Amino acid sequence: MIPQPGGSTTNNTQPTRDDNLAMGNPSGASVGDPNNYLMIKSAYTLSYNRRRGIANWVSWHLSTAWKGTVRRGNDFRADATLPRDWPIIQTADYTNTGFDRGHLCPSDDRDGSAEDNSATFLLTNIVPEAPRHNREVWKELEDYCRNLLNGNNELYIVAGTSGTGGTGANGEASKLADGKLTVPASLWKVIVVLPVGSNDLQRINSNTRVIAVNIPNRQTAADKPWYAYTLSIDDLERRTGYDFLSNLPAELQQILESRIDGGVN
């Protein structure tokens, strides 16, 4: 377990800010691939896709050590750390499109400091999301994850996008901003639930709870609860081409990734 700034592993009964990429790099992202471009922030780690103008995935750790009372910043803005010659997504690219500026790593998961909260509004962490999807079913899943912290848990979460073409308030769309910005067909999430402690990778076993969800990016997705969209990690890997939980032993991955969690516990 690699602590983030401000974290510690000396007391395994106290929540800490741990490595946002502890479970592994799902796509093998690196700084050498513009469509699988690794970006390491203090608040999360992501793989950005230059061609699509959105993240492939964002990975983060969540414990009460990341939580606080900082107000939501709402300072949506372009990410100045992208290479200068790349197309830059601006907030105006979402205006009047019928799609929300939807977070992958949520603002409420990073309200422990103004800096962390502000980082969630970088447009590399934002995707075009159907309004009801963003404000109802996806939000319910985000709230569920944070509620798990009340049981003395910590979480490792990876959220991302898959496919092309969603249905927003103005109908169907595949591209926005003259083609710079891709509308994903679905948003997905993988969640690993652990009791608070240290040496997290070593503490994951065949009884560890893992949740995988894939929710179509359309208004009508909110007609069902988030747990109606659960699937196995194996199935999600087939859909995305990614390798989740890759830092775990292969035998343990096989056990955990074959399950479907009902999401109602």
Side-chain angles (χ1 to χ4, degrees), residues 1-5 16-26 38-47 57-63 65-66 105-106 109-110 116 119-120 154-159 190 192 200-201 245 247:
M1 182 171 68
I2 305 172
Q4 292 290 338
T16 56
R17 296 186 173 194
D18 299 333
D19 179 13
N20 289 313
L21 206 58
M23 296 298 114
N25 182 331
L38 184 65
M39 304 183 74
I40 301 174
K41 313 285 189 182
S42 62
Y44 51 80
T45 298
L46 71 128
S47 163
W57 52 261
V58 177
S59 180
W60 69 100
H61 174 256
L62 179 60
S63 72
W66 293 97
C105 177
D109 282 13
R110 292 292 184 260
D116 288 338
T120 69
E154 60 183 313
L155 310 180
Y156 285 96
I157 305 171
V158 186
V190 173
V192 178
D200 293 339
L201 284 173
L245 312 184
N247 282 350

Side-chain angles (χ1 to χ4, degrees), residues 53-55 76 94 101-104 120-128:
I54 56 175
F76 292 97
Y94 284 83
R101 293 169 294 187
H103 285 73
L104 291 176
T120 69
F121 291 92
L122 291 169
L123 292 177
T124 44
N125 181 51
I126 302 299
V127 302

Side-chain angles (χ1 to χ4, degrees), residues 140-190:
E140 290 167 2
L141 177 55
E142 292 173 340
D143 289 343
Y144 181 81
C145 289
R146 286 188 290 270
N147 286 339
L148 288 173
L149 301 182
N150 296 329
N152 200 37
N153 293 313
E154 60 183 313
L155 310 180
Y156 285 96
I157 305 171
V158 186
T161 60
S162 180
T164 300
T167 305
N170 299 338
E172 295 182 9
S174 296
K175 299 282 186 177
L176 307 176
D178 296 323
K180 288 193 305 180
L181 187 55
T182 297
V183 178
S186 68
L187 279 71
W188 52 261
K189 189 169 284 191
V190 173

Side-chain angles (χ1 to χ4, degrees), residues 55-103:
N56 297 310
W57 52 261
V58 177
S59 180
W60 69 100
H61 174 256
L62 179 60
S63 72
T64 56
W66 293 97
K67 294 290 294 165
T69 58
V70 169
R71 283 189 165 187
R72 177 183 171 97
N74 278 328
D75 51 337
F76 292 97
R77 64 199 186 281
D79 191 332
T81 66
L82 287 171
R84 291 185 179 181
D85 60 339
W86 287 17
I88 301 299
I89 305 302
Q90 306 287 349
T91 57
D93 292 327
Y94 284 83
T95 303
N96 298 323
T97 62
F99 290 91
D100 282 0
R101 293 169 294 187
H103 285 73

